[in-house]
């Protein structure tokens, strides 16, 4: 059965898309630690990040880097933090979180609430800074 993230890639479940290429997809985390918190996933359905091939991990990291650059331009921050963790969704994903402090990366923090319109604006703002090549 397809994961919820594969359904997002297929357009069967809506998402606030930030960026996409042939192999990877980036969209806003619906329970963000900070405004601009983005998930990067491979389109190929693999549960465990370290089961991706060397080539996939390399290409995914380069894709995530470009997304991080766009996030930082859209939402100025000290750094964009990156994390691979969590057991909730069995589809490999990288969290990218704009940080004003290391505490912004604590996944035990309460999650922020935004309206659908605010999420859409946030995704659009990051996407406007996205450079595909
Ligand atoms: P984890 O596996 O612990 O890294 O958590 C998966 C992340 O995916 C959580 O931060 C969720 O908020 C996020 N998430 C789950 N479903 C969706 C969805 N439909 N759209 C956006 N983010 C989601």
């Amino acid at each position: 059965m397809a994961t919820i993230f594969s359904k997002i890639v297929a357009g069967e479940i809506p998402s606030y898309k930030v960026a996409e290429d042939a192999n990877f997809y980036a969209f806003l985390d619906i329970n963000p630690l900070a405004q601009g918190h983005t998930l990067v996933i491979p389109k190929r359905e693999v549960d465990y990040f370290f089961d991706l091939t060397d080539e996939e991990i390399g290409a995914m990291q380069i894709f995530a880097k470009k997304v991080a650059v766009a996030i930082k331009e859209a939402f100025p921050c000290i750094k964009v933090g990156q994390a691979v963790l969590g057991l909730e969704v069995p589809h490999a994903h990288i969290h990218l979180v704009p940080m004003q402090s290391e505490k912004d990366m604590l996944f035990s923090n309460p999650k922020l609430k935004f309206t659908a319109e605010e999420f859409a604006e946030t995704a659009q703002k990051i996407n406007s800074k996205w450079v595909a090549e």
Side-chain angles (χ1 to χ4, degrees):
M1 205 178 81
T3 66
I4 187 165
F5 287 174
S6 286
K7 290 180 181 169
I8 283 175
V9 171
E12 293 164 12
I13 290 178
S15 69
Y16 298 101
K17 180 169 130 177
V18 163
E20 179 175 15
D21 74 5
N23 298 311
F24 305 103
Y25 190 88
F27 59 107
L28 296 182
D29 193 308
I30 207 75
N31 300 299
L33 287 168
Q35 189 175 19
H37 180 169
T38 297
L39 300 176
V40 172
I41 62 171
K43 292 185 176 178
R44 187 169 85 85
E45 198 172 284
V46 174
D47 176 359
Y48 183 40
F49 182 80
F50 294 113
D51 282 337
L52 291 163
T53 67
D54 292 358
E55 290 72 22
E56 283 172 322
I57 286 189
M60 186 170 170
Q61 188 62 76
I62 292 166
F63 180 86
K65 174 187 171 179
K66 292 193 291 185
V67 176
V69 167
I71 291 172
K72 196 165 187 298
E73 282 184 24
F75 294 97
C77 54
I78 298 172
K79 289 183 177 176
V80 173
Q82 170 168 310
V84 174
L85 78 172
L87 302 171
E88 193 187 310
V89 179
H91 190 135
H93 51 283
I94 292 173
H95 292 262
L96 296 174
V97 182
M99 295 165 62
Q100 303 298 348
S101 136
E102 279 185 14
K103 291 196 183 98
D104 292 339
M105 288 298 287
L106 292 177
F107 281 76
S108 52
N109 283 347
K111 306 304 185 289
L112 302 181
K113 301 276 181 218
F114 293 107
T115 64
E117 192 174 51
E118 288 167 336
F119 271 119
E121 278 174 17
T122 298
Q124 164 55 29
K125 206 168 167 190
I126 300 170
N127 179 260
S128 73
K129 304 292 184 186
W130 164 254
V131 179
E133 293 306 322

